[in-house]
Amino acid sequence: MEQPDDWILEVREVTFGYSYHRPAIEGINLKIQRGGFVGILGPSGSGKTSLLKVICGLNKPWYGSVKLNSDKTGKPKIGYVPQVESVDWTFPVTVKEVVSMGIWNDSGAGPWISKVAVEKIRYALESLKIEEYMSRQISELSGGEQQRVFLARAMVSFPDILVLDEPTSGVDYNTREVILDVLRKLNQAGTTIILTTHDISAVAKRLPRLVCINKHIISDGTPVEILTDENLLHTYGLVDGEN
Ligand code: ADP
Ligand code: MG
């Protein structure tokens, strides 16, 4: 894949793992275009979550580095939406509180929000259709509803790069379309989007750029270039990769 000139994030020769001698990802090189929309595709255990956490600074690479390219507005800010199943919601917290975390985390100076921010927050809640249950406990929501709350929390911190781990996994058809639609609109407004998926037909095929990984990068390009039998065989170890 030709590397973009106006890049926002670069992963260079990154190797990372949890136990000595057993890297989860190895020798990863990835340059992401400013305003890009990239899907990372791979089977369970292929290192997708590990890579996203390296990108967000939550995992420190053994080797290599992650570089962010500043522009005139400064260093790009990253918003991370973790996989819903990875979060323990037994702690009592309402939707409103969770979404607010995205604002307070970022505002620094205190609990004052600009009018523009209020508008953007309203937009996030409306487009994700979660305004009506702002006062409900997170633990009472379905997986798809929790996923949208997570996305809203990341959106209200106004990131330049939005990183999402399996945002459409385990959600119903309507929720998946709402999420993809919101992501497309954010992308059109300039947000760079990086997501992982194992859904080839409903998600990956519809993205402009795909990166297949299985510990290493197997391939990188457009869906037409990437979704070949040979790449799927190398990525998934099987030809029919629809899982
Ligand atoms: P994916 O997101 O593609 O399913 P992961 O990045 O979660 O893959 O996992 C990659 C590898 O790292 C797997 O072999 C997994 O078992 C291992 N792994 C992931 N998280 C941990 C952890 N916290 N401790 C030890 N091993 C882990
Ligand atoms: Mg994962």
Side-chain angles (χ1 to χ4, degrees), residues 114-160:
S114 70
K115 281 187 177 157
V116 176
V118 168
E119 265 319 298
K120 287 189 175 179
I121 291 162
R122 185 170 303 138
Y123 170 76
L125 302 179
E126 270 173 21
S127 53
L128 288 163
K129 306 181 190 346
I130 56 172
E131 313 132 281
E132 70 256 42
Y133 35 78
M134 287 302 277
S135 54
R136 300 224 341 240
Q137 292 291 316
I138 281 280
S139 54
E140 294 169 6
L141 304 182
S142 72
E145 289 163 345
Q146 290 176 348
Q147 186 69 64
R148 284 180 279 148
V149 172
F150 271 24
L151 178 51
R153 187 189 68 161
M155 280 171 75
V156 301
S157 71
F158 316 132
D160 303 292

Side-chain angles (χ1 to χ4, degrees), residues 1 11 24 27 34 38 40 49 84 95 106 109 120 123 130 153 155 158 169 171 184 216 232:
M1 167 118 192
V11 177
R34 201 178 294 280
V38 181
I40 296 171
T49 298
V84 165
V95 172
D106 197 55
K120 287 189 175 179
Y123 170 76
I130 56 172
R153 187 189 68 161
M155 280 171 75
F158 316 132
S169 113
V171 305
R184 248 192 314 267
H216 307 272
L232 295 176

